[in-house]
Amino acid sequence: MINRLEVTAGPGTVIRYGNVAAWTTPDASAALHAFLIESARNLADSPEAGQVLVDHLVSVLGAGDPEPQVGFAVVGPGRSGLVGLLHGPAQAWDGDSWTVVSTQPGWARLACDPSPALFVNRAGDATPEAAHSSVLDLEAGVVPGAGFVLWPSGTAEDPLQTADQADGNTPEDPTLADTDPTREEQERTHVDVVPASEEVTQVMASVLAGDLEDPEVPDDPEVLAELTRSQDATPDAQPWVFDLRSRPSPAQRRGGSPLPAIGSAFLVDGKQVLVEGVRCHRGHLNRPGMIFCAVCSSPIRDAEEPPTLGPRPALGCLVTSDGSVYRLDCAYRVGPWPQGDAEALADTEADTPAARLTHRTLRFGGDPALEGRAEIILEGWDAVAEDGGSEVGTYLYPPGASKWQRMVNGSRAVLAPGSHISFGRNVVTYINPWVAALSTEANESEGPGNSTISLERRPR
Amino acid sequence: MSSPYDGSKFSLTLYELLVEDGSEDLQLVSEPATGGTLARPEGPLDDRSKTLAVAAAARAAHESHEAGIAHGSISPGTTFLTNAGARLGPPDLMSPPGRVAGSAPGSLLSCVDPGLLRGESPSRASDVWSLGASLHLSLSRASLYPGLDGDEPVTAVQRVLYGRPRLDPTLPAQILDVIRSCVAADPSNRPGSALVVAEKLESYASSGLSSSTGGHGGTEQ
């Protein structure tokens, strides 16, 4: 039943013996590992190994779930196709639908006919890349892995490519568009267009595909000249017109992996940032010391136990004075940053890759020179403000403070949730749902950032 | 208005994107939305049409999800009403990177998954949340977060982040079930896909709501 089992690199454990495959999250107990390994070994050649194993697991779980927070999955042959069981924070994609685990009973049966493969990994993580030529093909044994891609027997040498060829489409095939140019031409009134070049349409494809962070606008004059022009536009104000009609819509895009059923992994340069935390009974990682989960509000049962290592969630948001809300999943810069400084910062990033992520820029719409120069970066569970050195300066107003406090040029301060940060005339408020532990820590110390900022009256 | 399900597409068809020289502004040319949006329809809409419009948005979202794209800004304001039916508009291409909501948080935040305010990226589950909130916003005069519209920005964010949505008890039970499942705090307790939401709403609209009735409850056909 199992043709290939490609292991996804990352934390966790992947097991395969014969036609039985299993996966566990890193917090699985030795007892669970032993059970799964022994079961897989014993049932490796059974024609209904998956059914037997799933039925046994269901009976065990029905009598009491010994490790409700642990994610694991088992897959094997059943009476009619592949069957399996997902437990805790686990998800499976069979090419047609997702299977995830709900709170009750905390596990879910899986019966599927993968088309072309079955993807199994931690709930909320990105769908693993399917690479049929992957060298991480597990024949038998127990190896580290964050999940697996199971190709059932009978799949072609390169099922993905074969599937595309079979239906006559490739990911780049522009014939996927099914618009009606005639009707559109009648309805379009103010712009006359001709088909754009491949380079330009690639730009729009990236924009429509969600790559909105840094859409690349072509700078080749010939490419731009090829683009269509407004009939009414003056030579000084000609808009670039990107014809979207020859491109597939986002929904018609081929080659993109479906989104996972819940969430998405918080990645930094393609890697997860790991921090110590405590998990609620649903498996959500929280800041140490918290007694209720910031995600689902459920109690954290093992708050007294030592923290475990897990992927760090994002750290809340920044609310600007004009009401815009920015998610705090990476560092932000304010004000102008000369290229030289950026290069110097890049050198620093090499020392703390988990702290300095791809920077975004907070824009306030005014003169950037009046915004000062500062950064807000992520370190562990904290957001940290760093003054970049400017005449305008950076000011903090932590919760409970009675006045603005100016940061010393080049200094840094850990931000307490609720802090206001002022850059020139612009004020940003830092909101973080992981607050319980921070307040405890703050009581034990002098308070976030107090040792690194000077106290000056804010100029009016 | 004709059925939202004329044709096979549920996303607003975009014709062209215009970039003014020297400007960071983008202009999109799309098929005409003669009916306005679900937030501001050009004419009266009954509950069945509103429900089907959200269902169409859900189908559009599902199509994008299957292609690996999360929308991130589903709301009645981005659900357009065209001659061919309801269509989900594109994500906010003008939004700066990382921005979750714009400068009018009262109305927008009520359709934003609290997970996004925790800093999470838009996802299948957050779009499902937005679909549920959009449905509630369309069918009820009561806000999911009472008092949100009058809040200052920071207070509004905190209300959504730390509060729990309050559902209008006067809505039909089946609609409440759909909304309640969509806005579940734990994303794993929400419907596994937007398609599930669409199918439930279509089923309900076809059996539980008359097209000729207004108000919340509708009548049995």
Side-chain angles (χ1 to χ4, degrees), chain B residues 6 9 24 30 37 45-46 54 57 61 84 90 98 106 126 135 163 167 176 210:
Chain B
D6 290 344
K9 294 192 302 180
E24 295 183 352
S30 73
T37 65
L45 281 180
D46 56 39
V54 175
S126 72
L135 185 62
L167 274 56
L176 280 175
S210 165

Side-chain angles (χ1 to χ4, degrees), chain A residues 371-395:
Chain A
E371 297 173 354
R373 189 164 61 174
E375 278 188 297
I376 296 175
I377 64 173
L378 311 184
E379 287 187 355
W381 286 96
D382 292 321
V384 177
E386 285 191 358
D387 181 81
S390 71
E391 292 185 1
V392 175
T394 306
Y395 291 79

Side-chain angles (χ1 to χ4, degrees), chain A residues 176-266:
Chain A
L176 285 168
D178 59 353
T179 54
D180 180 355
T182 305
R183 195 191 77 181
E184 293 161 6
E185 192 68 25
Q186 294 169 346
E187 295 171 342
R188 182 180 50 77
T189 57
H190 70 287
V191 178
D192 189 21
V193 297
V194 297
S197 70
E198 184 64 20
E199 182 174 348
V200 173
T201 50
Q202 284 294 343
V203 173
M204 278 317 304
S206 67
V207 171
L208 294 176
D211 303 333
L212 308 177
E213 302 277 323
D214 186 21
E216 294 184 5
V217 176
D219 53 6
D220 184 342
E222 293 185 3
V223 173
L224 296 177
E226 178 193 330
L227 298 176
T228 56
R229 296 287 183 265
S230 166
Q231 291 179 332
D232 302 328
T234 65
D236 293 335
Q238 284 186 332
W240 300 342
V241 182
F242 302 101
D243 184 2
L244 308 179
R245 293 171 299 175
S246 62
R247 301 299 305 173
S249 73
Q252 295 165 320
R253 193 172 68 110
R254 299 295 299 267
S257 298
L259 293 176
I262 60 170
S264 56
F266 183 46

Side-chain angles (χ1 to χ4, degrees), chain B residues 63-119:
Chain B
E63 290 175 349
S64 292
H65 296 161
E66 293 304 288
I69 303 168
H71 190 283
S73 53
I74 296 173
S75 72
T78 56
T79 303
F80 293 87
L81 306 174
T82 74
N83 287 335
R87 300 284 186 262
L88 181 62
D92 185 3
L93 300 179
M94 300 293 296
S95 180
R99 191 168 75 175
V100 176
S103 54
S107 58
L108 292 175
L109 279 181
S110 64
C111 290
V112 172
D113 177 9
L116 300 187
L117 302 180
R118 286 194 300 270

Side-chain angles (χ1 to χ4, degrees), chain B residues 6-26:
Chain B
D6 290 344
S8 60
K9 294 192 302 180
F10 304 98
S11 296
L12 193 70
T13 301
L14 303 179
Y15 295 160
E16 294 149 358
L17 181 144
L18 292 79
V19 183
E20 294 288 348
D21 196 10
S23 169
E24 295 183 352
D25 292 342
L26 304 177

Side-chain angles (χ1 to χ4, degrees), chain A residues 364-431:
Chain A
F364 299 101
D367 184 354
L370 300 178
E371 297 173 354
R373 189 164 61 174
E375 278 188 297
I376 296 175
I377 64 173
L378 311 184
E379 287 187 355
W381 286 96
D382 292 321
V384 177
E386 285 191 358
D387 181 81
S390 71
E391 292 185 1
V392 175
T394 306
Y395 291 79
L396 297 183
Y397 201 115
S402 58
K403 59 184 178 182
W404 287 94
Q405 304 166 344
R406 177 167 183 161
M407 295 178 66
V408 173
N409 280 357
S411 66
R412 63 205 313 272
V414 176
L415 296 175
S419 293
H420 304 298
I421 312 107
S422 171
F423 314 102
R425 295 180 181 274
N426 305 296
V427 177
V428 169
T429 303
Y430 165 55
I431 295 180

